Amino acid sequence: MSYLRSIVTGMAGGLIGVIVAISPWHASATTADCSRPPPTLGNFSAAAKPLPAPDQPFTDETGKERSLAAYRGAALVVNFWATWCGPCIKEMPALDALAKKVEKRGIIVLALSSDREGAPVVQQYFDKNGFTGLPVSIDALSKVARTLDIIGLPTTVFFDAQGRQVGRVVGAAEWDAPATIEFLTACLAPAA
């Protein structure tokens, strides 16, 4: 009887170990699923090779330099845009809403502006439209965009929590749609 009890106890312990090991709390970017983008993401393509986030600097609203590589540990949705870009302007309210909806999921949304006038014009645009979820970020002379081979605006690049590029969307998307949020959470598999 004790032999049977030890077998059952061992099997139960093993089963619990398997369940814990595959739970979302222990998921890693290597198990992320970016294979089924929803129609709300428009022109999405998964990265053929998970390249690292670049060290090329961009600046915040104070002029302080930052880099995408410095965000390792958090998943990133990095949108390249400008205040003079019609499709960019159209999707900006949805990006601001997305930033607010995913911040507690370990996903940071950055909108890197290529406006030559810099932070003041972006801050004015954000203030005028009531955007509070996005930090002012400037990609002076499109250096980060060029490093990532961005050829048109808007383009949005996804990085997992390990700092690897996992995909991108060329063109506008429905960023605050529930299907988009569900996909980003599964694709980027941020640390819990």
Side-chain angles (χ1 to χ4, degrees), residues 81-191:
W81 75 291
T83 59
W84 45 261
C85 165
C88 302
I89 299 304
K90 185 175 180 180
E91 73 175 359
M92 196 55 62
L95 272 168
D96 186 62
L98 173 69
K100 295 172 189 173
K101 291 178 180 180
V102 298
E103 67 183 336
K104 291 185 179 169
R105 297 177 187 214
I107 301 172
I108 297 171
V109 180
L110 297 174
L112 296 186
S113 170
S114 62
D115 282 277
R116 303 253 172 163
E117 297 85 8
V121 72
V122 174
Q123 187 65 63
Q124 180 181 8
Y125 174 76
F126 281 6
D127 291 345
K128 177 182 174 186
N129 291 284
F131 298 150
T132 59
L134 298 168
V136 172
S137 304
I138 308 300
D139 183 17
L141 305 175
S142 301
K143 291 180 180 179
V144 179
R146 283 197 311 270
T147 300
L148 291 170
D149 295 323
I150 305 297
I151 57 172
L153 301 178
T155 296
T156 306
V157 183
F158 307 143
F159 295 92
D160 65 15
Q162 285 73 39
R164 299 174 300 194
Q165 184 181 159
V166 296
R168 66 176 57 199
V169 172
V170 177
E174 296 174 44
W175 295 110
D176 59 346
T180 298
I181 294 168
E182 182 180 323
F183 173 79
L184 290 174
T185 301
C187 177
L188 299 178

